């Protein structure tokens, strides 16, 4: 799974659908017993996507909530555990280090660059940016060895009866997800002032932000504000407590 994309179709007429994964896409995502089975299957297979199951009734509130939970287990899910940076830059040297954990089920399969930028605090425009020389997000792997499901053979050789709870116990990773570190030392020349430090992962086709971290600290356009950096004078530090973030689910500006 570390080098090859994993996905497929979850069909209601496969195996023993009345047991698992449910007789319809809506029940598969809305009913906890089916939803948990699907999530465990995603973890076990390191899935990035599953077809058919997305055809649930979006007007069903339980189904929407369940689909959100399932979506969080698909593919990569990068949690920023810690970000440290130089709050004051007086000699043009900016140091940035971040710890990230992939709590999803699969890696990201392409070598997309990790960017650090400084933004104008008034209009959020980019005044400086640079990419990390050493970071390779393909190596930010999820956990490994999720508990395999228990199956019982039925009367037909190719048909198996799934355990409705996946296993008689609690599933989990044999090897839990690791914390990965990315760090960089950058040179910059900017007018004296305070700027917003932001992180992003770029699509190299246009060198614009595309892939996002799993954090609510988000600006429309794909960058994640982290803290304040003072250049030449003053002090930086945390973001202002009254800073307003954008909803990534409503951002349709990404390419």
């Amino acid at each position: 799974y570390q080098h090859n994309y994993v996905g497929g179709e979850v069909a209601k007429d496969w195996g023993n659908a009345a047991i698992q994964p449910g007789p319809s896409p809506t029940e598969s995502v809305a009913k906890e017993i089916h939803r948990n089975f699907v999530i465990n299957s995603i973890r076990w297979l390191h899935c990035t996507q599953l077809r058919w199951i997305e055809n649930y009734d979006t007007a069903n509130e339980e189904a929407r909530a369940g689909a959100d939970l399932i979506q969080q287990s698909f593919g990569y899910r990068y949690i920023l555990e810690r970000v440290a940076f130089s709050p004051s830059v007086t000699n043009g040297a900016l140091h940035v280090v971040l710890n990230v954990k992939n709590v999803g089920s699969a890696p990201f399969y392409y070598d997309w660059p990790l960017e650090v930028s400084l933004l104008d605090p008034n209009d959020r425009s980019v005044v400086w940016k640079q990419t990390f020389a050493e970071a390779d997000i393909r190596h930010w792997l999820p956990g490994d060895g999720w508990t395999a499901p228990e199956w019982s053979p039925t009367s037909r050789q190719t048909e198996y009866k799934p355990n409705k709870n996946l296993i008689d116990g609690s599933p989990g990773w044999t090897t839990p997800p690791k914390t990965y570190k990315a760090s960089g030392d950058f040179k910059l020349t900017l007018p004296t002032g305070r700027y917003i430090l932001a992180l992003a992962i770029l699509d190299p086709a246009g060198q614009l932000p595309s892939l996002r971290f799993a954090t609510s600290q988000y600006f429309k356009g794909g960058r994640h504000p982290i803290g304040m950096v003072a250049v030449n004078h003053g002090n930086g530090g945390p973001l202002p407590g009254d800073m307003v973030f954008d909803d990534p689910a409503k951002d349709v500006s990404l390419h």
Side-chain angles (χ1 to χ4, degrees):
Y1 81 91
Q2 295 185 20
H3 305 290
N4 296 286
Y5 174 92
V6 179
E9 184 175 2
V10 183
K12 67 180 186 301
D13 58 350
W14 164 74
N16 288 266
I19 303 172
Q20 290 295 1
S24 72
T26 298
E27 288 205 29
S28 290
V29 301
K31 302 297 183 182
E32 183 178 20
I33 191 168
H34 296 318
R35 180 173 65 246
N36 286 344
F37 185 87
V38 172
I39 290 173
N40 284 320
S41 298
I42 291 168
R43 298 292 194 190
W44 173 51
L45 295 169
H46 296 284
C47 283
T48 294
Q49 59 83 12
L50 291 175
R51 294 183 296 278
W52 174 81
I53 200 170
E54 84 277 10
N55 295 322
Y56 61 88
D57 180 6
T58 56
N60 183 307
E61 186 175 342
E62 286 185 320
R64 288 200 311 273
D68 284 346
L69 293 173
I70 291 174
Q71 187 66 51
Q72 292 176 25
S73 65
F74 272 126
Y76 62 87
R77 184 170 175 81
Y78 295 146
I79 301 293
L80 287 169
E81 294 189 317
R82 174 180 177 269
V83 182
F85 59 93
S86 311
S88 300
V89 175
T90 57
N91 57 357
L94 173 67
H95 178 71
V96 182
V97 58
L98 61 131
N99 292 340
V100 60
K101 181 178 289 185
N102 183 355
V103 299
S105 298
F108 187 78
Y109 292 98
Y110 301 98
D111 186 14
W112 284 18
L114 172 65
E115 177 199 79
V116 59
S117 61
L118 294 179
L119 314 179
D120 185 306
N122 296 313
D123 61 10
R124 301 180 179 178
S125 61
V126 178
V127 297
W128 172 89
K129 61 182 178 180
Q130 199 167 325
T131 57
F132 287 72
E134 301 296 328
D136 188 339
I137 67 172
R138 295 172 298 180
H139 297 162
W140 296 351
L141 301 177
D144 199 12
W146 193 264
T147 308
E150 296 173 351
W151 301 86
S152 301
T154 62
S155 57
R156 296 193 316 185
Q157 183 178 2
T158 58
E159 186 174 302
Y160 292 82
K161 179 181 178 181
N163 182 319
K164 67 178 181 179
N165 296 314
L166 187 85
I167 63 167
D168 294 327
S170 299
W173 296 116
T174 301
T175 304
K178 292 170 50 179
T179 295
Y180 294 90
K181 179 181 178 180
S183 63
D185 292 291
F186 308 94
K187 290 293 184 181
L188 56 87
T189 302
L190 284 174
T192 298
R194 294 179 83 240
Y195 301 92
I196 301 171
L197 183 138
L199 295 173
I201 296 177
L202 310 179
D203 181 343
Q207 293 299 317
L208 292 172
S210 184
L211 187 159
R212 292 170 285 190
F213 290 96
T215 173
S216 60
Q217 292 183 203
Y218 182 79
F219 285 163
K220 181 180 178 181
R223 289 186 169 88
H224 299 279
I226 300 300
M228 304 300 297
V229 172
V231 176
N232 299 327
H233 177 73
N235 298 308
L239 295 170
D242 59 354
M243 178 169 283
V244 177
F245 305 122
D246 297 321
D247 185 348
K250 296 179 180 178
D251 186 1
V252 296
S253 69
L254 301 189
H255 294 261

